[in-house]
Amino acid sequence: MTTAVLNGRERKTAARGPWIVVVDDDERVRRVLRSVLESAGFKVCEAANEADLMAALKAHKISLITLDLSLRHEDGLAIARSVRATSDVPIIMITARAEDIDRIVGLELGADDYIVKPFNVREVLARVRAVLRRSEDHHRRERASSETVFFGDWTLSLASRQLTARAGQITHLTSAEFNLLAAFVRQPGRVLSRDYLIDCIGGIDAEPLERSIDTIVGRLRKKIESDPGAPQFVKTVRGAGYVFAA
């Protein structure tokens, strides 16, 4: 069992998903959001002000904050700034302020999404899930970026973005070539489609066309394969894409 704080009172809840803090000085809004989020499997605690929020951040491993910008006695943007000074926890701003300048300032302060009241609770839930997925993907990439991968006579440092031969020489890779090779080494044995690889390189050095992926694969093979015409590492899967066979 876990303990969630509700207006100063404790309530027992079954341990389930990530912790979310709902920050709003309107108790009705907090109750609605709490009910929706708990029904979806999240653990939720409420905060009516910055002090409650900071207490929740200390008490729990918070995965996301929903933050009302239109608090009666506090500035929601200032609260977001305080959170960002010490934490990268995702923030979804929920507010009655519909002006573009408020949304822009909120996003510049580090908000991960922005929802205008009145809102559809299903939309809020969908956005919460989307932000949590992006956050997890980001942390997964950060963890992967510290890896060093060995294949054949090569050493690839994902942190320093360097490819080194056994003799110690560094082989220069363009951004697109590195991103492509990183995608391959992280998923050896898995067939990766051209569309997936286009997303991996982010359009760098190439038009978003399938043929451009083939061109970059060709350049990469010339750098890492002893015989680019009969590749040992990056192999073509006809009609499907490429697979890293090391």
Side-chain angles (χ1 to χ4, degrees):
M1 301 290 286
T2 59
T3 301
V5 178
L6 176 61
N7 295 335
R9 298 188 299 273
E10 292 186 347
R11 192 179 84 174
K12 298 295 183 180
T13 60
R16 294 175 292 176
W19 275 103
I20 296 176
V21 185
V22 175
V23 185
D24 199 303
D25 56 7
D26 187 329
E27 184 178 357
R28 294 169 301 176
V29 173
R30 294 199 306 269
R31 283 204 304 263
V32 168
L33 290 176
R34 181 182 195 132
S35 175
V36 170
L37 293 170
E38 287 187 336
S39 296
F42 297 105
K43 298 190 288 279
V44 182
C45 52
E46 301 178 24
N49 49 49
E50 182 175 4
D52 290 348
L53 170 60
M54 295 306 174
L57 289 172
K58 291 181 179 179
H60 305 290
K61 184 180 179 181
I62 301 301
S63 296
L64 184 139
I65 299 168
T66 69
L67 173 62
D68 180 21
L69 296 187
S70 305
L71 302 174
R72 285 187 292 270
H73 304 297
E74 294 180 283
D75 182 357
L77 290 174
I79 293 176
R81 189 178 295 110
S82 296
V83 172
R84 274 292 163 267
T86 58
S87 172
D88 63 352
V89 61
I91 300 174
I92 297 179
M93 294 183 172
I94 303 179
T95 179
R97 301 179 187 177
E99 293 81 4
D100 285 345
I101 186 63
D102 291 314
R103 179 174 58 85
I104 292 169
V105 171
L107 295 174
E108 287 180 344
L109 284 176
D112 296 84
D113 206 343
Y114 192 102
I115 300 174
V116 176
K117 294 178 181 178
F119 52 77
N120 183 303
V121 291
R122 291 185 178 180
E123 178 187 4
V124 173
L125 183 57
R127 294 195 182 211
V128 164
R129 286 171 169 160
V131 168
L132 287 173
R133 281 196 302 271
R134 291 200 300 270
S135 177
E136 176 56 29
D137 288 344
H138 171 73
H139 289 302
R140 189 180 298 115
R141 288 194 298 271
E142 282 192 333
R143 290 192 294 269
S145 69
S146 64
E147 296 174 356
T148 299
V149 181
F150 303 92
F151 63 97
D153 292 333
W154 299 101
T155 299
L156 180 66
S157 170
L158 297 172
S160 63
R161 299 174 69 90
Q162 285 189 338
L163 178 66
T164 309
R166 176 174 293 180
Q169 302 97 329
I170 294 175
T171 297
H172 173 72
L173 297 176
T174 67
S175 293
E177 291 164 358
F178 171 81
N179 290 342
L180 198 63
L181 182 56
F184 283 131
V185 301
R186 286 171 176 154
Q187 302 181 76
R190 177 183 173 186
V191 178
L192 304 180
S193 70
R194 288 174 171 83
D195 286 340
Y196 176 83
L197 294 172
I198 287 171
D199 290 338
C200 289
I201 67 171
I204 300 172
D205 287 358
E207 294 295 327
L209 302 171
E210 289 189 0
R211 187 173 302 172
S212 67
I213 290 295
D214 297 336
T215 300
I216 299 170
V217 167
R219 296 202 317 249
L220 181 61
R221 280 173 171 166
K222 290 179 181 178
K223 295 182 178 182
I224 67 173
E225 303 281 5
S226 57
D227 182 0
Q232 173 187 359
F233 304 122
V234 180
K235 297 188 176 183
T236 303
V237 180
R238 190 174 299 277
Y242 295 97
V243 61
F244 190 69

